[in-house]
């Protein structure tokens, strides 16, 4: 018989897990407190792992996450969710150094055979790069990764939740606190008590706060990111994402919106303010790479707390000695890419379709 499951947290990690469980017919209740600073609501949404300098298991997860989007879109379409702000508009890695671009191209080329989702690698001179992303500085040349994509984190999480609801899940807007367990796990919420066979803690940067009453910790800390949304007058639908080597990134959404950022502030704790220094850093970086944005209108600056891992990998799996208590957190700067595929793997593990441990990674005591 399928277990009953409570998922704490409805960011990309929790919503992906809940959707994957609900699709399998598992009774799921998702509880989310809509905390200020939730990362999924602020994330940029660049899906382009293939030029990353990261290697090993992290790269495999990262590339696996990007490749999984095709399947995810199909699964969401099956439940009537058609728009998560996802578009494969390509990705430009930009630099004024041809040698630096050569190095990136060699790294990505070596991965191409195992990564069909990457598409083609095409060198673009400064003129061609500006045709693709008009505000770019005229001295920057580029490597175009044709399979690079972007996704709207808010639309993604909302789409996954809508999919879960259509497969019978329930969503509660409330703060959850673990009271006791296992057998069953008892949870207190402002909307009343809940109990289930399994709890998935997908509480992002707040994960250790949720685990606190159990006397357990995992290696996840908040890292603040400030990211600014600009309005331009151009049609931005086909603009690629822009990844400068060693600088902040830029990406566009369909509504003439260009998003620039982001700061990476470890040690800021749970402080979700937009700061003067953060705002200056983001705008200076953006205008250095894309001076053509100087006249854009500032719409808003979002602040997200990345659930930063203290090791290379996120923490995903069942905690030892706490039967039925799973963690799905610690995606750092890569959760919009990895979250959906990892949520799918974790759901398969919870229902016994995959061996314990197959969801992976970095779980203390496993
Ligand atoms: C500025 C910025 C840019 C980014 N850019 C990218 C990018 O380009 N590509 C990419 O792949 N990734 C990117 N990321 C990373 C990505 O956004 C995160 O890794 C991912 O969103 C983390 O998702 P999560 O579900 O683990 O956490 P969150 O989205 O923070 O969700 C955690 C949820 O738990 C809830 N919660 C916490 N405690 C409780 C409780 N006690 N009870 C109930 N609910 C609770 C919160 O309300 C929240 O909704 C970026 C992040 C930031 C901040």
């Amino acid at each position: 018989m399928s277990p009953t499951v409570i998922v704490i947290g409805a960011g990309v990690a929790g919503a992906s897990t809940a959707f994957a469980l609900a699709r399998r017919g598992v009774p799921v209740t998702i509880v989310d407190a809509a905390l200020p600073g939730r990362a999924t609501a602020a994330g940029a949404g660049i899906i382009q792992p293939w030029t990353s300098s990261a290697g090993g298991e992290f790269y495999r997860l990262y590339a696996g996450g990007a490749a999984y989007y095709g399947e995810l879109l199909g699964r969401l379409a099956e439940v009537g969710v058609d728009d998560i702000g996802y578009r494969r508009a390509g990705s430009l890695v930009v630099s004024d150094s041809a040698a630096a671009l050569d190095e990136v191209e060699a790294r990505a080329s070596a991965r191409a055979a195992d990564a069909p989702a990457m598409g083609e690698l095409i060198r673009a001179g400064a003129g061609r790069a500006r045709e693709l992303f008009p505000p770019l500085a005229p001295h920057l040349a580029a490597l175009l990764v044709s399979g690079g994509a972007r996704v709207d984190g808010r639309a993604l999480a909302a789409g996954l939740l809508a999919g879960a609801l259509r497969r019978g899940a329930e969503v509660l807007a409330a703060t959850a606190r673990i009271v006791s367990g296992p057998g069953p796990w008892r949870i207190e919420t402002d909307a009343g008590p809940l109990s289930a066979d399994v709890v998935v803690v997908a509480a992002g940067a707040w994960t250790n706060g949720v685990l606190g009453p159990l006397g357990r910790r995992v290696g996840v800390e908040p890292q603040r990111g400030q990211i600014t949304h600009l309005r331009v007058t151009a049609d931005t639908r086909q603009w690629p994402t822009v990844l400068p080597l060693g600088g902040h990134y830029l990406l566009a959404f369909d509504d003439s919106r260009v998003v620039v950022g982001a700061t990476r502030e470890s040690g800021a704790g749970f402080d979700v303010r937009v700061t003067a220094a953060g705002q200056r850093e983001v705008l200076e970086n953006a205008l250095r790479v894309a001076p053509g944005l100087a006249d854009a209108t500032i719409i808003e600056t979002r602040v997200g707390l990345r659930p930063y891992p203290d090791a290379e990998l996120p923490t995903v799996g069942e905690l030892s000695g706490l039967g039925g208590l799973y963690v799905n957190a610690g995606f750092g700067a890569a959760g919009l890419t990895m979250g959906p595929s990892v949520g799918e793997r974790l759901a398969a593990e919870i229902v016994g379709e995959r061996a314990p441990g197959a969801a992976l990674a970095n779980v203390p005591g496993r």
Side-chain angles (χ1 to χ4, degrees):
M1 213 176 83
S2 132
T4 53
V5 181
I6 295 168
V7 177
I8 302 177
V12 66
S16 298
T17 311
F19 175 56
L21 286 166
R23 252 188 345 98
R24 290 169 164 81
V26 176
V28 189
T29 305
I30 305 142
V31 189
D32 193 283
L35 296 175
R38 52 200 192 278
T40 303
I46 297 170
I47 312 291
Q48 202 281 76
W50 307 287
T51 57
S52 155
S53 57
E57 183 57 24
F58 182 92
Y59 171 74
R60 275 190 289 281
L61 267 186
Y62 204 17
Y68 177 69
Y69 262 87
E71 217 170 308
L72 177 71
L73 293 173
R75 287 183 168 156
L76 287 171
E78 279 168 17
V79 291
V81 174
D82 293 319
D83 188 8
I84 54 167
Y86 176 86
R87 191 188 286 275
R88 279 179 91 202
S91 177
L92 289 176
V93 179
V94 299
S95 175
D96 57 5
S97 157
L101 289 176
D102 287 346
E103 201 179 302
V104 176
E105 185 174 359
R107 182 161 62 230
S109 289
R111 291 166 164 171
D114 296 326
M118 183 197 307
E120 285 179 82
L121 297 171
I122 304 159
R123 285 298 271 266
R128 175 68 185 136
R130 287 182 84 193
E131 279 170 24
L132 293 166
F133 194 94
L136 262 192
H139 65 286
L140 293 173
L143 171 70
L144 171 65
V145 183
S146 72
R150 47 82 169 162
V151 70
D152 177 334
R154 293 180 181 195
L156 168 64
L160 289 162
L161 279 188
L165 280 168
R166 284 172 201 171
R167 285 287 179 261
E170 285 181 50
V171 181
L172 278 184
T175 302
R177 202 173 69 81
I178 301 174
V179 179
S180 63
W185 286 99
R186 295 189 192 285
I187 308 293
E188 220 170 69
T189 79
D190 351 319
L194 296 171
S195 66
D197 306 314
V198 168
V199 173
V200 178
V201 181
W206 298 270
T207 293
N208 282 319
V210 176
L211 294 176
L214 303 172
R216 298 292 282 268
R217 279 189 72 76
V218 293
V220 177
E221 296 290 340
Q223 184 198 63
R224 183 167 67 191
Q226 303 185 46
I227 183 164
T228 297
H229 290 227
L230 305 172
R231 177 87 64 221
V232 296
T233 49
D235 177 353
T236 53
R237 279 174 295 184
Q238 299 300 338
W239 287 13
T241 62
V242 175
L243 306 177
L245 291 177
H248 287 197
Y249 46 71
L250 305 91
L251 71 160
F253 287 90
D254 286 356
D255 54 346
S256 297
R257 181 187 290 250
V258 178
V259 176
V260 300
T263 63
R264 285 171 167 263
E265 301 167 82
S266 300
F270 291 90
D271 176 356
V272 294
R273 288 174 306 123
V274 176
T275 65
Q279 188 67 91
R280 180 184 60 188
E281 179 187 326
V282 167
L283 292 178
E284 273 182 3
N285 265 277
L287 294 179
R288 195 177 315 123
V289 176
L293 291 173
D295 193 42
T297 306
I298 295 178
I299 307 172
E300 63 173 320
T301 295
R302 296 182 183 174
V303 179
L305 302 176
R306 300 180 187 91
Y308 225 80
D310 67 358
E312 189 193 23
L313 295 173
T315 300
V316 185
E318 191 175 24
L319 291 191
S320 64
L322 295 174
L325 196 288
Y326 291 78
V327 171
N328 186 14
F331 291 97
L336 296 177
T337 307
M338 294 179 178
S341 60
V342 172
E344 173 64 27
R345 288 167 71 160
L346 182 59
E349 179 172 322
I350 290 169
V351 301
E353 280 171 26
R354 295 175 75 105
L360 42 115
N362 194 30
V363 181
R366 178 182 273 171

